Amino acid sequence: MLTYQEPPAGGGAWAETVELTPQEAEQFRKVADEITGMLPHGKPAGPGQLDDPGLLAEIEVAARWLPPRLARALSRFRRQGNPHGVLLVRNVPLDADLPPTPADGAAPVWSRLGTATVGQLAVVSWLGDVIAYADEKAGRLVQDIVPVSGAEECQENSGSVLLELHTEDGFHPYKPDFVTLLCLRADHERRARTTYGAITRALPRLSAECVRVLRRPLFRIHFSSSFGGPGAGAKGSGTGTGTGVVSPPLPVLSGPDGDPEIVADFHAMEPLDETAARAFGELRDAMLAVLDGAVLEAGDLIVVDNRTAVHGRTAFRPRYDGQDRWLRRCFAVADLRPSRAARTPGSQVCAPLKPEGGP
């Protein structure tokens, strides 16, 4: 079990941050509001309403009018990344009259959140192509991340206990390259800290033998409970992440020696032998040593490079009063084409995974 530790007061290295000025935020709002009228109004927020090639193309064109400073930062992050694997954008415009935090984990009507929805999709368009998964959140392109009563102990986005560091959907053959999280409402006590750690910062702390083992296919990830189909048996304590369905054996590290990519999950990943388990423990300790984090406030948008950084969240206490923490999540891939066999023509949503781990 990982334990998050606060950086020393006045110390700690933080992620690259773009804080929009009032003028830039207003320019961002105008771009979003121009497209908001194209969203389906007054209808239930079905998963297919945003999965429209024409609408997404309009948003991509409009995104070229985002504030230049923001656009440059997003473009640079897409092409070069940064040492933390995270980009934080502050003062992103939101809808003026937010509805209550949805108790069941899904916003009922898109048009109530038009500015936030279009704004997030505009940001994603600078990172790549939006992607979603039929197994997860009903295939919605923009997903609501909220605490759900009864799911407090789950190692998933519906829980409120410590969420372990992980690669998002690391078991999926078409996992996202980027994860964006837009905060609509912070938790009451400002205890929910989004945590992140980049492999490039942890790498100098790893022994040569550890790196060698982590580069071998000696690890498997248990699918999240939303994947794997009916009847997938729960793993471990049944806290909601990890089913009886697992990925094929895979390495944790891949790519160039000095700038590797990482796939890890410190809850649902299973080393296949004792040597792999020791290496994975060493990696965990190194990640904890370089861990950073931030409490997201309303209007904060964090972008995680899912190829180079793992992320998680500290515990918090929901009140289920309609004012709990509310994030919206949207994924992007640098190249949508490799997943074409898993998607219907014109759709960004990958079909359900088969138990053996393939699309």
Coordinates of all heavy atoms in Angstrom, one line a residue, residues 271-328:
P271 N 3.4 -9.1 -10.3 CA 4.7 -9.6 -10.7 C 4.6 -11.1 -10.8 O 3.9 -11.8 -10.0 CB 5.7 -9.2 -9.6 CG 5.0 -8.1 -8.9 CD 3.5 -8.4 -9.0
L272 N 5.2 -11.7 -11.8 CA 5.1 -13.2 -12.0 C 6.1 -14.0 -11.3 O 5.9 -15.3 -11.2 CB 5.2 -13.4 -13.5 CG 4.1 -12.8 -14.4 CD1 4.3 -13.2 -15.8 CD2 2.7 -13.2 -13.9
D273 N 7.1 -13.4 -10.7 CA 8.0 -14.2 -9.8 C 8.6 -13.3 -8.8 O 8.4 -12.1 -8.8 CB 9.1 -14.9 -10.7 CG 10.0 -14.0 -11.5 OD1 10.2 -12.8 -11.1 OD2 10.5 -14.4 -12.6
E274 N 9.5 -13.9 -7.9 CA 10.0 -13.1 -6.8 C 11.0 -12.0 -7.3 O 11.1 -10.9 -6.7 CB 10.8 -14.1 -5.9 CG 9.8 -15.0 -5.1 CD 10.5 -15.8 -4.1 OE1 11.8 -15.6 -3.9 OE2 9.9 -16.7 -3.4
T275 N 11.8 -12.3 -8.4 CA 12.7 -11.3 -8.9 C 11.9 -10.1 -9.4 O 12.3 -9.0 -9.1 CB 13.5 -11.9 -10.0 OG1 14.3 -13.0 -9.5 CG2 14.5 -10.9 -10.6
A276 N 10.8 -10.4 -10.1 CA 10.0 -9.3 -10.6 C 9.3 -8.5 -9.4 O 9.2 -7.3 -9.5 CB 8.9 -9.8 -11.5
A277 N 8.9 -9.2 -8.4 CA 8.3 -8.6 -7.2 C 9.3 -7.6 -6.5 O 9.0 -6.5 -6.1 CB 7.8 -9.6 -6.2
R278 N 10.6 -8.1 -6.4 CA 11.6 -7.2 -5.8 C 11.8 -5.9 -6.6 O 11.9 -4.8 -6.1 CB 12.9 -8.0 -5.6 CG 12.9 -9.0 -4.5 CD 14.3 -9.5 -4.1 NE 14.9 -10.1 -5.3 CZ 14.8 -11.5 -5.5 NH1 14.1 -12.2 -4.7 NH2 15.4 -12.0 -6.5
A279 N 11.9 -6.1 -7.9 CA 12.1 -5.0 -8.8 C 10.9 -4.0 -8.8 O 11.1 -2.8 -8.7 CB 12.3 -5.4 -10.3
F280 N 9.7 -4.6 -8.7 CA 8.5 -3.7 -8.6 C 8.5 -3.0 -7.3 O 8.1 -1.8 -7.2 CB 7.3 -4.6 -8.8 CG 6.1 -3.8 -9.2 CD1 6.1 -3.1 -10.4 CD2 4.9 -3.9 -8.5 CE1 5.0 -2.4 -10.8 CE2 3.8 -3.2 -8.9 CZ 3.8 -2.5 -10.0
G281 N 8.9 -3.6 -6.2 CA 9.0 -2.9 -4.9 C 10.0 -1.8 -5.0 O 9.8 -0.7 -4.4
E282 N 11.2 -2.0 -5.6 CA 12.2 -0.9 -5.8 C 11.6 0.2 -6.6 O 11.9 1.4 -6.2 CB 13.4 -1.5 -6.4 CG 14.6 -0.5 -6.5 CD 15.9 -1.1 -7.0 OE1 16.1 -2.4 -6.9 OE2 16.7 -0.4 -7.6
L283 N 10.9 -0.1 -7.6 CA 10.3 1.0 -8.4 C 9.3 1.8 -7.6 O 9.2 3.0 -7.6 CB 9.5 0.4 -9.6 CG 8.7 1.4 -10.5 CD1 9.6 2.4 -11.1 CD2 7.9 0.6 -11.5
R284 N 8.5 1.1 -6.8 CA 7.5 1.8 -5.9 C 8.2 2.7 -5.0 O 7.8 3.9 -4.8 CB 6.7 0.7 -5.1 CG 5.7 1.3 -4.1 CD 5.2 0.3 -3.2 NE 6.4 -0.3 -2.4 CZ 6.3 -1.5 -1.8 NH1 5.3 -2.3 -1.9 NH2 7.4 -1.9 -1.1
D285 N 9.3 2.3 -4.4 CA 10.0 3.2 -3.4 C 10.6 4.4 -4.2 O 10.5 5.5 -3.6 CB 11.1 2.4 -2.8 CG 10.6 1.3 -1.8 OD1 9.4 1.4 -1.4 OD2 11.4 0.4 -1.5
A286 N 11.1 4.2 -5.4 CA 11.6 5.3 -6.1 C 10.5 6.3 -6.5 O 10.7 7.5 -6.5 CB 12.3 4.8 -7.4
M287 N 9.4 5.8 -6.9 CA 8.2 6.6 -7.3 C 7.8 7.5 -6.1 O 7.5 8.7 -6.2 CB 7.1 5.8 -7.8 CG 7.2 5.5 -9.3 SD 7.3 6.9 -10.3 CE 7.4 6.2 -11.9
L288 N 7.7 6.8 -4.9 CA 7.3 7.6 -3.7 C 8.3 8.7 -3.4 O 7.9 9.8 -2.9 CB 7.3 6.6 -2.5 CG 6.0 5.7 -2.5 CD1 6.1 4.7 -1.3 CD2 4.8 6.6 -2.3
A289 N 9.6 8.5 -3.7 CA 10.6 9.5 -3.4 C 10.5 10.7 -4.3 O 11.0 11.8 -3.9 CB 12.0 8.9 -3.5
V290 N 9.9 10.6 -5.4 CA 9.8 11.7 -6.4 C 8.4 12.2 -6.5 O 8.1 13.0 -7.4 CB 10.4 11.4 -7.7 CG1 11.9 11.0 -7.6 CG2 9.6 10.3 -8.4
L291 N 7.5 11.7 -5.7 CA 6.0 11.9 -5.9 C 5.7 13.4 -5.6 O 6.2 14.0 -4.7 CB 5.2 11.1 -4.9 CG 3.8 10.9 -5.2 CD1 3.5 10.2 -6.5 CD2 3.1 10.1 -4.0
D292 N 4.9 14.0 -6.5 CA 4.4 15.3 -6.3 C 2.8 15.3 -6.3 O 2.3 14.2 -6.6 CB 4.9 16.2 -7.4 CG 6.3 16.6 -7.3 OD1 6.8 16.7 -6.1 OD2 7.0 16.6 -8.3
G293 N 2.2 16.4 -6.1 CA 0.8 16.4 -6.1 C 0.2 17.8 -6.0 O 0.9 18.8 -5.6
A294 N -1.1 18.0 -6.2 CA -1.7 19.2 -6.1 C -3.2 19.0 -5.8 O -3.8 18.1 -6.4 CB -1.6 20.1 -7.4
V295 N -3.8 19.8 -5.0 CA -5.2 19.8 -4.8 C -5.8 20.7 -5.9 O -5.5 21.8 -6.1 CB -5.6 20.5 -3.4 CG1 -7.1 20.6 -3.3 CG2 -5.1 19.6 -2.3
L296 N -6.7 20.0 -6.7 CA -7.3 20.7 -7.8 C -8.5 21.6 -7.3 O -9.3 21.1 -6.6 CB -7.8 19.7 -8.8 CG -6.7 18.8 -9.5 CD1 -7.3 17.9 -10.5 CD2 -5.6 19.6 -10.0
E297 N -8.5 22.8 -7.7 CA -9.6 23.7 -7.5 C -10.4 23.9 -8.7 O -10.0 23.5 -9.8 CB -9.0 25.1 -7.0 CG -8.2 25.1 -5.7 CD -9.1 24.9 -4.5 OE1 -10.3 25.1 -4.6 OE2 -8.5 24.7 -3.4
A298 N -11.6 24.4 -8.6 CA -12.5 24.7 -9.7 C -11.8 25.5 -10.8 O -11.2 26.5 -10.5 CB -13.8 25.4 -9.3
G299 N -11.8 25.0 -12.0 CA -11.1 25.7 -13.1 C -9.7 25.2 -13.3 O -9.0 25.7 -14.3
D300 N -9.2 24.2 -12.5 CA -7.9 23.6 -12.8 C -8.1 22.4 -13.7 O -9.0 21.6 -13.5 CB -7.3 23.1 -11.5 CG -6.8 24.2 -10.6 OD1 -6.7 25.4 -11.0 OD2 -6.4 23.9 -9.4
L301 N -7.2 22.3 -14.7 CA -7.2 21.2 -15.6 C -5.8 20.6 -15.6 O -4.8 21.4 -15.9 CB -7.6 21.7 -17.0 CG -7.7 20.5 -18.0 CD1 -8.8 20.9 -19.1 CD2 -6.4 20.2 -18.8
I302 N -5.6 19.4 -15.3 CA -4.3 18.7 -15.3 C -4.3 17.7 -16.4 O -5.2 17.0 -16.7 CB -4.1 18.0 -13.9 CG1 -2.6 17.6 -13.8 CG2 -5.0 16.9 -13.7 CD1 -2.2 17.3 -12.3
V303 N -3.1 17.7 -17.1 CA -2.9 16.8 -18.2 C -1.7 15.9 -17.8 O -0.7 16.4 -17.4 CB -2.5 17.6 -19.5 CG1 -2.3 16.6 -20.6 CG2 -3.5 18.6 -19.9
V304 N -2.0 14.6 -17.8 CA -1.0 13.6 -17.4 C -0.5 12.9 -18.7 O -1.4 12.4 -19.5 CB -1.6 12.6 -16.4 CG1 -0.5 11.6 -16.0 CG2 -2.1 13.3 -15.2
D305 N 0.8 12.8 -18.9 CA 1.3 12.0 -20.0 C 1.3 10.6 -19.5 O 2.1 10.2 -18.7 CB 2.7 12.4 -20.3 CG 3.3 11.7 -21.6 OD1 2.8 10.6 -21.9 OD2 4.1 12.3 -22.3
N306 N 0.3 9.8 -20.0 CA 0.1 8.4 -19.5 C 1.2 7.4 -19.9 O 1.2 6.3 -19.4 CB -1.3 7.9 -20.0 CG -1.9 6.8 -19.2 OD1 -1.8 6.8 -18.0 ND2 -2.4 5.8 -19.9
R307 N 2.1 7.9 -20.7 CA 3.2 7.1 -21.2 C 4.4 7.2 -20.3 O 5.2 6.3 -20.2 CB 3.6 7.4 -22.6 CG 2.4 7.3 -23.6 CD 2.7 8.1 -24.9 NE 2.9 9.5 -24.7 CZ 3.1 10.4 -25.6 NH1 3.1 10.0 -26.9 NH2 3.3 11.7 -25.3
T308 N 4.5 8.3 -19.6 CA 5.7 8.6 -18.8 C 5.5 8.8 -17.4 O 6.4 8.9 -16.6 CB 6.4 9.9 -19.4 OG1 5.6 11.0 -19.2 CG2 6.8 9.7 -20.9
A309 N 4.2 8.9 -16.9 CA 3.9 9.2 -15.5 C 2.8 8.4 -15.1 O 1.9 8.0 -15.9 CB 3.6 10.7 -15.4
V310 N 2.8 8.0 -13.8 CA 1.6 7.4 -13.1 C 1.0 8.5 -12.3 O 1.6 9.5 -11.9 CB 2.1 6.2 -12.3 CG1 2.5 5.1 -13.2 CG2 3.2 6.6 -11.3
H311 N -0.3 8.3 -12.0 CA -1.0 9.2 -11.1 C -1.9 8.5 -10.2 O -2.3 7.3 -10.3 CB -1.8 10.2 -12.0 CG -3.0 9.6 -12.7 ND1 -2.8 8.8 -13.8 CD2 -4.3 9.7 -12.5 CE1 -4.0 8.4 -14.3 NE2 -4.9 8.9 -13.5
G312 N -2.4 9.2 -9.2 CA -3.3 8.7 -8.2 C -4.0 9.9 -7.4 O -4.1 11.0 -8.0
R313 N -4.5 9.6 -6.2 CA -5.2 10.6 -5.5 C -5.2 10.2 -4.0 O -5.3 9.1 -3.6 CB -6.7 10.7 -5.9 CG -7.5 11.9 -5.4 CD -8.9 11.5 -5.3 NE -9.2 10.5 -4.3 CZ -9.7 9.3 -4.6 NH1 -10.1 9.0 -5.9 NH2 -9.8 8.3 -3.7
T314 N -5.0 11.2 -3.1 CA -5.1 11.0 -1.7 C -6.5 10.8 -1.3 O -7.5 11.2 -2.0 CB -4.4 12.1 -0.9 OG1 -5.1 13.4 -1.2 CG2 -2.9 12.2 -1.2
A315 N -6.7 10.3 -0.1 CA -8.1 10.1 0.4 C -8.8 11.4 0.8 O -8.2 12.4 1.1 CB -8.1 9.2 1.6
F316 N -10.1 11.4 0.7 CA -10.9 12.5 1.1 C -12.3 12.0 1.6 O -12.6 10.8 1.5 CB -11.1 13.5 0.0 CG -12.0 13.0 -1.2 CD1 -13.3 13.4 -1.3 CD2 -11.4 12.1 -2.1 CE1 -14.1 13.0 -2.4 CE2 -12.2 11.7 -3.2 CZ -13.5 12.1 -3.3
R317 N -13.0 12.9 2.3 CA -14.3 12.5 2.9 C -15.5 13.2 2.2 O -15.8 14.3 2.4 CB -14.3 12.9 4.4 CG -13.3 12.1 5.2 CD -13.4 12.4 6.7 NE -13.0 13.8 6.9 CZ -12.7 14.2 8.2 NH1 -12.8 13.4 9.2 NH2 -12.3 15.5 8.3
P318 N -16.2 12.4 1.3 CA -17.4 13.0 0.7 C -18.5 13.1 1.7 O -18.6 12.4 2.7 CB -17.7 12.0 -0.4 CG -17.1 10.7 0.1 CD -15.9 11.0 0.9
R319 N -19.4 14.1 1.4 CA -20.6 14.3 2.2 C -21.9 13.9 1.5 O -22.9 13.9 2.2 CB -20.6 15.8 2.6 CG -19.4 16.2 3.4 CD -19.5 17.7 3.8 NE -18.3 18.2 4.4 CZ -18.0 19.4 4.8 NH1 -19.0 20.4 4.5 NH2 -16.9 19.8 5.3
Y320 N -21.8 13.7 0.2 CA -23.0 13.3 -0.5 C -24.1 14.3 -0.4 O -25.3 14.0 -0.1 CB -23.4 11.9 -0.2 CG -22.3 10.9 -0.3 CD1 -21.9 10.2 0.8 CD2 -21.7 10.6 -1.5 CE1 -20.8 9.3 0.7 CE2 -20.7 9.7 -1.6 CZ -20.2 9.0 -0.5 OH -19.2 8.1 -0.6
D321 N -23.7 15.6 -0.5 CA -24.7 16.7 -0.3 C -24.9 17.5 -1.6 O -25.5 18.6 -1.5 CB -24.2 17.6 0.8 CG -22.8 18.2 0.5 OD1 -22.2 17.8 -0.5 OD2 -22.3 19.0 1.3
G322 N -24.4 16.9 -2.7 CA -24.6 17.6 -4.0 C -23.5 18.6 -4.2 O -23.4 19.3 -5.3
Q323 N -22.5 18.8 -3.3 CA -21.4 19.7 -3.4 C -20.1 19.0 -3.3 O -19.1 19.7 -3.0 CB -21.5 20.8 -2.4 CG -22.8 21.6 -2.5 CD -22.9 22.4 -3.8 OE1 -22.0 23.1 -4.2 NE2 -24.0 22.2 -4.5
D324 N -20.0 17.7 -3.5 CA -18.8 17.0 -3.4 C -17.9 17.2 -4.6 O -18.3 17.8 -5.6 CB -19.1 15.5 -3.3 CG -19.4 15.0 -1.9 OD1 -18.8 15.6 -1.0 OD2 -20.3 14.2 -1.7
R325 N -16.6 16.7 -4.5 CA -15.6 16.8 -5.5 C -16.2 16.3 -6.8 O -16.8 15.2 -6.9 CB -14.4 16.1 -5.1 CG -13.2 16.2 -6.0 CD -12.0 15.4 -5.4 NE -10.8 15.6 -6.1 CZ -10.2 14.8 -6.9 NH1 -10.8 13.6 -7.2 NH2 -9.0 15.0 -7.4
W326 N -15.9 17.1 -7.9 CA -16.4 16.7 -9.2 C -15.3 17.0 -10.3 O -15.0 18.2 -10.5 CB -17.7 17.4 -9.5 CG -18.4 17.1 -10.8 CD1 -18.1 16.1 -11.7 CD2 -19.7 17.6 -11.3 NE1 -19.0 16.0 -12.7 CE2 -20.0 17.0 -12.5 CE3 -20.5 18.6 -10.8 CZ2 -21.1 17.3 -13.2 CZ3 -21.6 19.0 -11.5 CH2 -21.9 18.3 -12.7
L327 N -14.8 16.0 -10.9 CA -13.9 16.2 -12.0 C -14.5 15.6 -13.3 O -15.4 14.8 -13.2 CB -12.6 15.4 -11.8 CG -11.8 15.7 -10.5 CD1 -10.5 14.9 -10.5 CD2 -11.5 17.1 -10.2
R328 N -14.0 16.1 -14.4 CA -14.4 15.5 -15.7 C -13.1 15.0 -16.4 O -12.1 15.7 -16.4 CB -15.2 16.5 -16.5 CG -16.3 17.1 -15.8 CD -17.4 17.7 -16.7 NE -18.3 16.7 -17.2 CZ -18.9 16.9 -18.3 NH1 -18.8 17.9 -19.1 NH2 -19.8 15.9 -18.7

